[in-house]
Amino acid sequence: MLILTKTLLHSVGIGIAFKKIIFDFCIFMYFIPSKQTTKLSVPQTFPLKAIATLLVILIYLSYSQQISAKEGRSVPISDPIPVKAVIVTMFEIGQDEGDKPGEFQFWKERRNLDTEFSFPHSHHNLFYNPDSQILGMVTGIGTAKSTSAVMALGLDERFDLSKAYWLVAGIAGIDPEDASIGSVAWSSYLVDGDLGYQIDSREIPKDWTTGFFAFNSKRPFDSNKPESDGELFIANPTLRDWAFNLTKDAKLSDNEDLKSARSAYTEHPNAQKPPFVLRGGHIAAMTFWHGAISNKWANELVHYWSDGKTDFVTSAMEDTGTYLAATYLDKIDKVDKDRFLFLRGGSNFTMPPPGITAVDYLLRENEGYTAMEDSLESIYLVGSIVIDELLNNWDKYEKQLPE
């Protein structure tokens, strides 16, 4: 019976000192003095009072531990929750289920992410499927929120993320020079569009194409390029290529609304194609920019920082912050930064078609992105191919990165 007591105590996440107190109490109750003698005698059965007391204590501690873990309070965790995949989304529109979808809803509904964990020190609670061991999160919009959310999760002792693959899955603006709305792009080169000097374009020298230029440089796209200090992150290109090759032939959703929208881009052949899967550079900037001039700047900036190894395809806000947190967490072995994938779906174009001003197009799109739900479907479809491959072959991918 004492062996059973030690086993039960070991299974409860309480301090060692408190466990010893409880166990010593049980020993005392077990070796309770007999009424017939002043010597300690070992009774034939464990006293009923001791059994009842022990059960009450264990039930209370077990319940308290579960409540504390769900509410996000710090508790000693003897066995952290295993996570095979983390789905990183940035926003949800209304409820997590049953209404107009944002980035998280399809994943939560279709992947049965029903176990909720409180996450009060970040933007949105966490949701988990104990069977598939998929964990879903919503970081909030913008670099600051994505950085803090990923860092908070990485340091959360409730979860074992050391072998987890991370899929950043969100919408983006997409360059009509490269693809159509509804298309999805895998990215490895993540360029920050905020870090740098800025001079109003009305005050720049005549031979400058933009007033934005890198810290520790003297002009836009200075040939004497400084070392990156947060302007560029490169997420495992081999993993990106593996994911692309796995999904490149996926048939994406298409419809009359998408066809009508892309038909206006008469000067951009790639924009007129049905949605497809591609690879390309990503720019993350807190300012929601739009227009042909800004689009040219984005292409030049991604080309500059990547040394021409990729061009600009998608634009959003969070990914450099997300991967910055990953690089820090990797240094303390909380996550593996080589297991991060970035997938963005084109919900809108980054510049207008001929005959429409940038202002008019931006304001119209802000009323509702033409390819919002279609891009979400494409993201889920393509991302699921990768997630299913990883989970169905976990014996292999747990220890060995895909090649």
Side-chain angles (χ1 to χ4, degrees):
M1 190 65 188
L2 290 176
I3 294 174
L4 175 59
T5 303
K6 291 187 72 175
T7 302
L8 289 171
L9 286 172
H10 178 72
S11 68
V12 178
I14 58 176
I16 294 174
F18 198 22
K19 288 180 180 179
K20 185 177 185 302
I21 292 172
I22 296 174
F23 188 66
D24 288 346
F25 167 76
C26 293
I27 291 177
F28 171 76
M29 294 297 292
Y30 188 83
F31 291 102
I32 191 168
S34 170
K35 293 181 178 180
Q36 285 76 30
T37 177
T38 57
K39 295 181 180 181
L40 291 178
S41 62
V42 180
Q44 297 299 314
T45 59
F46 202 59
L48 292 178
K49 183 182 292 186
I51 294 175
T53 304
L54 176 61
L55 287 175
V56 169
I57 292 172
L58 291 178
I59 291 170
Y60 171 76
L61 290 172
S62 177
Y63 176 75
S64 298
Q65 180 189 16
Q66 291 177 32
I67 295 299
S68 296
K70 287 292 184 70
E71 293 181 353
R73 297 201 297 265
S74 178
V75 294
I77 303 295
S78 57
D79 295 307
I81 297 164
V83 178
K84 294 178 180 177
V86 181
I87 306 300
V88 182
T89 63
M90 280 50 70
F91 73 92
E92 188 50 59
I93 295 174
Q95 300 300 314
D96 290 334
E97 297 183 75
D99 59 1
K100 185 177 181 179
E103 292 175 343
F104 184 54
Q105 190 166 133
F106 289 162
W107 294 100
K108 186 179 187 305
E109 291 177 342
R110 299 173 185 180
R111 292 288 170 164
N112 300 317
L113 305 181
D114 297 327
T115 301
E116 182 174 1
F117 290 91
S118 182
F119 203 37
H121 47 301
S122 191
H123 176 73
H124 191 280
N125 282 353
L126 305 168
F127 290 86
Y128 178 71
N129 182 328
D131 296 322
S132 64
Q133 297 180 9
I134 296 175
L135 181 68
M137 72 181 306
V138 183
T139 67
I141 294 174
T143 309
K145 288 183 178 179
S146 66
T147 307
S148 61
V150 172
M151 183 64 73
L153 176 56
L155 295 174
D156 196 320
E157 295 184 352
R158 291 175 293 177
F159 305 100
D160 179 1
L161 301 161
S162 60
K163 300 296 183 182
Y165 289 86
W166 298 63
L167 175 63
V168 179
I171 62 170
I174 200 160
D175 187 353
E177 295 179 357
D178 298 294
S180 56
I181 50 176
S183 297
V184 293
W186 294 103
S187 297
S188 176
Y189 286 84
L190 312 172
V191 175
D192 194 290
D194 293 317
L195 289 174
Y197 301 119
Q198 178 76 56
I199 297 175
D200 191 290
S201 60
R202 291 165 291 187
E203 298 180 277
I204 63 176
K206 292 182 179 180
D207 61 339
W208 286 20
T209 59
T210 178
F212 184 89
F213 56 109
F215 290 138
N216 301 313
S217 68
K218 297 181 178 181
R219 59 181 296 117
F221 315 117
D222 195 333
S223 58
N224 186 23
K225 187 174 71 174
E227 290 292 323
S228 171
D229 188 20
E231 292 87 353
L232 172 69
F233 295 91
I234 304 175
N236 195 345
T238 301
L239 187 63
R240 173 207 60 189
D241 293 342
W242 170 82
F244 169 74
N245 288 325
L246 193 66
T247 59
K248 62 183 179 181
D249 297 323
K251 184 174 177 57
L252 306 184
S253 172
D254 196 12
N255 55 55
E256 292 303 318
D257 288 340
L258 295 184
K259 292 177 183 178
S260 176
R262 65 179 183 251
S263 67
Y265 285 81
T266 55
E267 298 175 359
H268 299 88
N270 287 330
Q272 297 187 32
K273 295 179 179 179
F276 61 99
V277 182
L278 69 158
R279 288 171 288 192
H282 180 81
I283 190 167
M286 292 284 278
T287 300
F288 192 126
W289 55 266
H290 183 76
I293 295 174
S294 294
N295 200 71
K296 182 176 184 294
W297 161 79
N299 273 281
E300 291 175 331
L301 190 68
V302 172
H303 185 276
Y304 180 71
W305 283 112
S306 69
D307 292 323
K309 293 178 182 176
T310 190
D311 67 340
F312 160 70
V313 173
T314 55
S315 171
M317 297 181 178
E318 298 85 10
D319 292 358
T320 52
T322 296
Y323 202 63
L324 173 64
T327 60
Y328 289 154
L329 292 167
D330 179 85
K331 292 179 180 180
I332 56 173
D333 298 323
K334 291 293 187 180
V335 307
D336 183 349
K337 68 178 182 179
D338 288 331
R339 295 180 179 226
F340 275 68
L341 285 159
F342 292 84
L343 179 66
R344 289 282 182 168
S347 59
N348 57 287
F349 287 114
T350 54
M351 58 181 284
I356 301 178
T357 68
V359 171
D360 289 341
Y361 190 85
L362 174 63
L363 294 179
R364 187 183 72 186
E365 283 294 289
N366 279 346
E367 295 176 359
Y369 298 143
T370 302
M372 176 69 172
E373 193 158 342
D374 296 290
S375 64
L376 293 174
E377 289 285 5
S378 295
I379 294 164
Y380 180 79
L381 171 65
V382 173
S384 288
I385 294 173
V386 170
I387 293 298
D388 289 338
E389 170 66 19
L390 292 170
L391 298 186
N392 292 337
N393 297 280
W394 187 249
D395 289 345
K396 174 182 179 181
Y397 295 128
E398 178 184 11
K399 299 178 181 179
Q400 177 182 336
L401 293 174
E403 297 178 355

